[in-house]
Amino acid sequence: MLSLLKFQRSSLTLGVASDKFGQFAKLLPLNQFSGLFSMRPFSTELNEAFAHMSDDELKDTSTIPGWKYVHSPPREVPRGALVGTVVSTKMDKTVNVAVNRYHIVPKYRKRRVYTRKFMAHDEKEVADKGDLVMIVPCQRISRHKHFMLREIIKPKGKL
């Protein structure tokens, strides 16, 4: 069950669709909703908060009060990013990166290292063997290569 919260200005009419839990789904022009939602009464506090803003300020999301609480900021580290060590640079525009993961064995209270190697695309061939790098997933480039080199965190031999 979706409901609609309507906000109207002189030349800008927006609607915010929300589900039954009150989570906002979209901020769209009102003509795109086309009667699919039940109308919720418009809040006067919301109207007073936006009444002093011009249309240009409403289009720029950074000036809307509380916008950062409704919409999450972009991630600093991409989803699925891995950090590992370059173990091979013998192929053209490709590096082989070993990623270590640790699992604690409860019986012995020790950690066990699991290593997996990923091929990553290095367009400018800047990575060298032994560098600590960050790789991010991308669209499949070849049969075994579906990561790209994002950055060199620590070159070999540097502290």
Side-chain angles (χ1 to χ4, degrees):
M1 173 72 186
L2 293 174
S3 61
L4 174 71
L5 177 64
K6 185 173 106 175
F7 172 69
Q8 185 170 3
R9 292 262 313 164
S10 58
S11 63
L12 186 66
T13 303
L14 298 175
V16 179
S18 64
D19 60 8
K20 65 181 179 179
F21 302 109
Q23 296 175 340
F24 293 111
K26 289 187 179 182
L27 182 66
L28 293 172
L30 195 60
N31 59 4
Q32 294 186 12
F33 286 103
S34 67
L36 296 174
F37 308 100
S38 62
M39 294 297 285
R40 187 189 304 170
F42 182 64
S43 170
T44 56
E45 301 110 22
L46 188 63
N47 190 16
E48 293 169 3
F50 294 117
H52 67 280
M53 298 178 73
S54 68
D55 290 341
D56 293 329
E57 289 176 332
L58 286 171
K59 288 178 186 175
D60 182 21
T61 58
S62 64
T63 60
I64 297 176
W67 184 265
K68 65 180 180 179
Y69 299 115
V70 176
H71 299 279
S72 60
R75 299 170 67 94
E76 291 181 15
V77 177
R79 185 170 318 216
L82 301 172
V83 175
T85 307
V86 177
V87 292
S88 174
T89 59
K90 294 179 181 178
M91 296 168 276
D92 291 337
K93 297 186 179 182
T94 304
V95 292
N96 213 341
V97 179
V99 176
N100 291 333
R101 294 184 180 164
Y102 300 97
H103 174 70
I104 295 177
V105 181
K107 181 177 179 181
Y108 302 111
R109 298 182 186 160
K110 300 281 184 180
R111 66 180 186 177
R112 184 163 180 207
V113 181
Y114 293 93
T115 303
R116 177 151 181 216
K117 290 196 271 186
F118 295 97
M119 289 188 187
H121 184 67
D122 183 12
E123 181 67 35
K124 298 179 181 172
E125 298 185 357
V126 292
D128 291 325
K129 190 173 181 179
D131 291 350
L132 187 68
V133 297
M134 178 187 290
I135 56 175
V136 293
C138 66
Q139 188 175 6
R140 188 172 293 266
I141 297 169
S142 66
R143 182 178 172 199
H144 297 290
K145 190 162 63 166
H146 51 273
F147 279 90
M148 291 186 77
L149 180 71
R150 166 119 189 232
E151 65 177 298
I152 298 174
I153 298 171
K154 186 172 82 170
K156 182 180 179 183
K158 299 270 177 148
L159 294 177

